[in-house]
Amino acid sequence: MAAAAAGGVGVGADQGVQIHRFRGLRSSGLIPFGRSSRSLAVASSSSSSSVVTAVSTPIRPDTSEVKRSKVELFKEKSNFLRYPLNEELTSEAPNINEAATQLIKFHGSYQQTNRDERGVKSYQFMLRTKNPCGKVPNRLYLVMDDLADDFGTGTLRLTTRQTFQLHGILKKNLKTVMSTIIKNMGSTLGACGDLNRNVLAPAAPYTKKEYVFAQETAENIAALLTPQAGAYYDLWIDGEKIMSAEPPEVVEARNDNSHGTNFPDSPEPIYGTQFLPRKFKIAVTVPIDNSVDILTNDIGVVVVSDIDGEPQGFNIYVGGGMGRTHRVETTFPRLGEPLGYVPKEDILYAIKAIVVTQRENGRRDDRRYSRMKYLIGEWGIDKFRTVVEQYYGKKFEPFRELPEWEFKSYLGWHEQGNGALFCGVHIDSGRIGGNMKKTLREIIEKYNLNVRITPNQNLILCDIHHSWEEPITAALAQAGLLQPTEIDPLNLTAMACPALPLCPLAITEAERGIPQILKRIRAVFNKVGIENNESVVIRVTGCPNGCARPYMAELGLVGDGPNSYQVWLGGTPNQTSLAKCFTNKVKVQNLEKVLEPLFYGWKSKRLQGESFGSFTTRIGFDKLQELVEKWEGPLETA
């Protein structure tokens, strides 16, 4: 069952990896005077004390110097994300300094250079929006489309976390672009940086109770964990207040400090001056629907309904994460594992308790180990649960049984449930440009459509009258936006990160390389006799950080050098199994030497209905390696 599928943790977990303990913030003043600090004895494999303090105020002052990363110092001195970014933005230089470069991430932007250009660096900025559930109002889509032309590279990019990215923004235009987004129902606040990122949820605009409830929950979680200190609005719209009504349950949960979660009298009651140790990712979904890659998130939330379809509460997974570092075996991708169940009225308090546990105990000395997956990997799920329960104030109930997960793409035409239709449009690598961009804008503008971005980098057109289906289908086809039955199945599930030329972390190509890679893999399929309607999940990234979630793919290509990739095998089509590294340093021109024997082996030795990822796991890497080494080509048929 699905609960069991999440039992695996990470490639480093079975190696007995021990990460040195780091004691978190040790912030003072977390509990009001007169409140006692509660401690609870828990089992621990560590040689250190088995007493976990559930709040961060020590009993006596700790005068020892705690090593912290440079980014921690930048955050501490920033006056809640203002300084020195506010000064750097007004300078004549085309770039900003190191501290401001780190701080602007919290505002939703990365400083970049075009690595294709030699000589003098051409500084520019990438902006990423925050769109819980991938929801994009009509007005915001049209504004983003304009901004891409007026200030960017002329393209929009849909991300694997249901947001937009705008590339090529010059520093002098940042404030104009940011303020335009804010004043047109958008935001970039918290799209990057050491805090909760965009909250995923199924993008399909169904009117079914559980889907609506999942999306409302995702929006409430996003609101709960949005920075409160006001620096974002001070910098980009001169402190102007943008009116937005928050649900009272969100305000109540944020302000509640009955279990020592908050920084009293701080403009950031949950985050404090230091925010979180690293990025933090949350997804919400309903049973069966794994369109959100639920097990790859720090927190995965699943709606649990009664027999009548009425939502009752939530299962919670914790500890997922993709990023790793090449040649550092103590870093690894990890699947989320079951934490427990909470009734629906408690979800915001449970989420807050998990976030605070990471805030107080996640490592802040070495950012390679700062994600929550390493904390859980060190502590174990039982100890982690016990500490979270101190901040939650209750015991978690047992995890409810779930059906098997399925990947949902929502491509093509579907009934919403309210008499209207929606249309899922496949976008290769999420890049919208050229005639495709022009046509999408015309359709969205003409029919006044809201849209949604999927976690697979596609676009959903919402609220379509039945009479509009034929002309919209025709217009899409003329722009090369075909129905899913007319697209190679390999393309439908493939993903790639942007990588070169703008990402500073990229080692090799991803988005620019994947079209040709997919064509070559289809040619290999034809050569070894695999049918045209068959497919495998392929994901390509230009570095090991895993933005396109390659470690969940049946075939993951992870950049490990110029024009070179690691080959990862063993994920499953429903994204519930972690791939493992099969081989390293495969030059892009030599991919067929590895892939041809693997796909031939799958075609000739698979069980009925067995996916490629499941096949590679069953056969084992030793036999697969032997197959590759002895490969002389497919057997000729008489």
Side-chain angles (χ1 to χ4, degrees):
M1 304 302 275
V9 286
V11 294
D14 57 0
Q15 299 170 357
V17 174
Q18 291 294 317
I19 309 299
H20 295 300
R21 183 178 300 281
F22 182 71
R23 298 190 179 276
L25 281 179
R26 294 189 175 277
S27 52
S28 61
L30 187 61
I31 307 179
F33 289 121
R35 180 180 173 85
S36 62
S37 170
R38 296 178 297 174
S39 297
L40 185 69
V42 296
S44 174
S45 59
S46 171
S47 59
S48 60
S49 170
S50 62
V51 176
V52 177
T53 303
V55 294
S56 50
T57 305
I59 295 173
R60 53 175 174 262
D62 186 352
T63 57
S64 61
E65 183 177 345
V66 179
K67 179 186 176 185
R68 293 188 295 165
S69 70
K70 187 185 298 185
V71 176
E72 291 299 313
L73 301 179
F74 292 153
K75 289 186 285 188
E76 182 178 60
K77 299 174 182 178
S78 71
N79 187 19
F80 298 99
L81 309 180
R82 291 175 173 84
Y83 176 81
L85 179 58
N86 52 350
E87 295 182 355
E88 288 291 303
L89 290 172
T90 61
S91 75
E92 294 297 320
N95 61 316
I96 56 179
N97 67 19
E98 183 182 7
T101 298
Q102 293 298 329
L103 295 178
I104 201 171
K105 294 178 183 178
F106 293 78
H107 295 256
S109 180
Y110 285 88
Q111 181 170 263
Q112 299 179 330
T113 59
N114 189 331
R115 295 168 62 186
D116 281 348
E117 297 178 1
R118 300 293 180 234
V120 178
K121 289 185 176 181
S122 56
Y123 288 99
Q124 53 190 278
F125 291 79
M126 178 270 281
L127 297 187
R128 182 184 296 154
T129 59
K130 196 94 170 277
N131 306 88
C133 319
K135 290 184 178 180
V136 183
N138 174 272
R139 174 175 155 192
L140 178 59
Y141 185 93
L142 299 178
V143 163
M144 296 299 295
D145 184 81
D146 287 337
L147 291 173
D149 290 339
D150 296 343
F151 299 102
T153 60
T155 67
L156 282 170
R157 197 173 196 281
L158 313 179
T159 78
T160 58
R161 291 203 70 81
Q162 298 183 274
T163 66
F164 287 115
Q165 285 185 179
L166 279 178
H167 292 91
I169 310 298
L170 299 181
K171 176 184 161 184
K172 66 181 181 180
N173 295 325
L174 270 174
K175 190 168 184 177
T176 299
V177 176
M178 287 279 207
S179 62
T180 302
I181 292 172
I182 294 168
K183 292 176 180 179
N184 286 276
M185 308 174 70
S187 177
T188 64
L189 176 58
C192 324
D194 299 342
L195 74 179
N196 180 55
R197 303 288 187 88
N198 197 51
V199 180
L200 304 189
Y206 289 135
T207 56
K208 302 172 188 175
K209 280 185 181 179
E210 61 179 2
Y211 274 87
V212 172
F213 190 60
Q215 291 157 4
E216 289 176 350
T217 301
E219 291 173 317
N220 285 347
I221 292 171
L224 173 73
L225 299 175
T226 296
Q228 299 295 302
Y232 182 69
Y233 300 103
D234 289 346
L235 264 64
W236 306 113
I237 54 173
D238 300 320
E240 181 181 338
K241 301 297 183 185
I242 301 296
M243 299 301 294
S244 60
E246 288 186 321
E249 60 266 32
V250 172
V251 177
E252 183 178 340
R254 181 189 299 123
N255 293 336
D256 178 74
N257 196 29
S258 56
H259 301 290
T261 53
N262 288 21
F263 294 95
D265 304 318
S266 170
E268 289 293 353
I270 297 177
Y271 290 131
T273 61
Q274 301 304 116
F275 290 80
L276 298 181
R278 278 296 300 273
K279 67 180 77 170
F280 200 88
K281 298 182 177 181
I282 301 175
V284 184
T285 192
V286 302
I288 300 176
D289 187 335
N290 197 18
S291 59
V292 299
D293 259 346
I294 191 72
L295 301 178
T296 66
N297 291 271
D298 291 272
I299 304 176
V301 179
V302 186
V303 175
V304 176
S305 301
D306 63 18
I307 195 169
D308 297 319
E310 191 67 40
Q312 299 298 305
F314 301 91
N315 277 343
I316 299 177
Y317 294 99
V318 291
M322 292 284 95
R324 49 179 284 276
T325 303
H326 283 319
R327 295 177 294 281
V328 181
E329 296 303 314
T330 50
T331 66
F332 44 82
R334 189 181 194 276
L335 295 184
E337 55 186 312
L339 180 70
Y341 169 91
V342 298
K344 60 184 179 182
E345 63 270 15
D346 286 352
I347 186 60
L348 296 180
Y349 298 90
I351 293 293
K352 184 179 173 183
I354 297 167
V355 169
V356 169
T357 300
Q358 163 66 353
R359 183 194 75 194
E360 293 300 301
N361 299 282
R363 289 183 60 170
R364 294 178 183 266
D365 59 334
D366 188 336
R367 291 176 65 80
R368 289 179 299 181
Y369 304 111
S370 292
R371 291 291 298 275
M372 194 172 75
K373 64 180 177 180
Y374 295 113
L375 177 65
I376 297 175
E378 181 195 2
W379 280 5
I381 191 65
D382 292 335
K383 177 175 176 177
F384 183 81
R385 182 186 296 110
T386 300
V387 177
V388 172
E389 285 172 345
Q390 296 296 299
Y391 291 116
Y392 175 37
K394 299 180 181 180
K395 294 285 187 181
F396 286 98
E397 297 179 34
F399 199 83
R400 304 298 198 257
E401 193 69 27
L402 293 172
E404 290 293 333
W405 292 108
E406 295 177 9
F407 170 71
K408 305 283 188 180
S409 72
Y410 298 116
L411 296 175
W413 289 92
H414 304 266
E415 294 279 353
Q416 290 184 178
N418 59 355
L421 299 171
F422 72 86
C423 180
V425 181
H426 173 72
I427 311 289
D428 282 332
S429 296
R431 182 71 67 179
I432 299 176
N435 190 43
M436 175 204 309
K437 179 172 175 293
K438 177 175 177 289
T439 298
L440 282 171
R441 187 206 171 91
E442 289 172 350
I443 292 171
I444 292 166
E445 191 167 29
K446 177 179 179 179
Y447 297 100
N448 195 31
L449 303 179
N450 297 319
V451 305
R452 297 191 184 183
I453 303 168
T454 81
N456 231 50
Q457 302 174 297
N458 297 318
L459 197 68
I460 292 178
L461 308 178
C462 306
D463 307 313
I464 300 172
H465 296 177
H466 280 261
S467 61
W468 301 344
E469 179 179 356
E470 187 174 332
I472 287 177
T473 300
L476 291 172
Q478 288 180 351
L481 296 166
L482 305 175
Q483 292 302 297
T485 54
E486 304 173 68
I487 300 171
D488 190 321
L490 288 173
N491 292 65
L492 292 179
T493 56
M495 291 202 298
C497 68
L500 296 173
L502 296 178
C503 179
L505 302 177
I507 304 169
T508 192
E509 299 285 358
E511 180 186 338
R512 295 195 300 194
I514 196 172
Q516 192 60 32
I517 289 173
L518 293 177
K519 290 177 182 177
R520 289 165 61 189
I521 290 174
R522 178 55 68 188
V524 169
F525 274 24
N526 293 336
K527 182 176 181 180
V528 302
I530 296 173
E531 299 294 329
N532 286 336
N533 63 350
E534 295 191 74
S535 182
V536 300
V537 177
I538 300 168
R539 295 176 176 179
V540 183
T541 59
C543 82
N545 286 312
C547 292
R549 303 189 285 273
Y551 310 115
M552 302 300 287
E554 295 183 90
L555 170 62
L557 301 179
V558 179
D560 64 357
N563 299 311
S564 174
Y565 297 93
Q566 289 181 329
V567 176
W568 287 66
L569 304 174
T572 49
N574 66 349
Q575 278 84 65
T576 57
S577 298
L578 201 60
K580 295 182 180 179
C581 184
F582 175 66
T583 189
N584 298 281
K585 297 291 182 183
V586 179
K587 289 294 185 181
V588 66
Q589 63 268 26
N590 296 328
L591 282 174
E592 284 85 352
K593 294 180 180 179
V594 175
L595 299 183
E596 190 174 297
L598 293 177
F599 288 134
Y600 180 77
W602 175 47
K603 190 258 182 184
S604 59
K605 299 179 181 180
R606 59 185 166 179
L607 304 177
Q608 184 173 3
E610 186 175 38
S611 68
F612 176 68
S614 297
F615 164 78
T616 59
T617 299
R618 178 175 63 83
I619 295 296
F621 281 10
D622 289 343
K623 290 184 178 179
L624 293 177
Q625 193 64 50
E626 183 180 349
L627 188 64
V628 171
E629 291 172 355
K630 295 182 177 180
W631 181 248
E632 294 181 354
L635 296 174
E636 296 292 336
T637 56

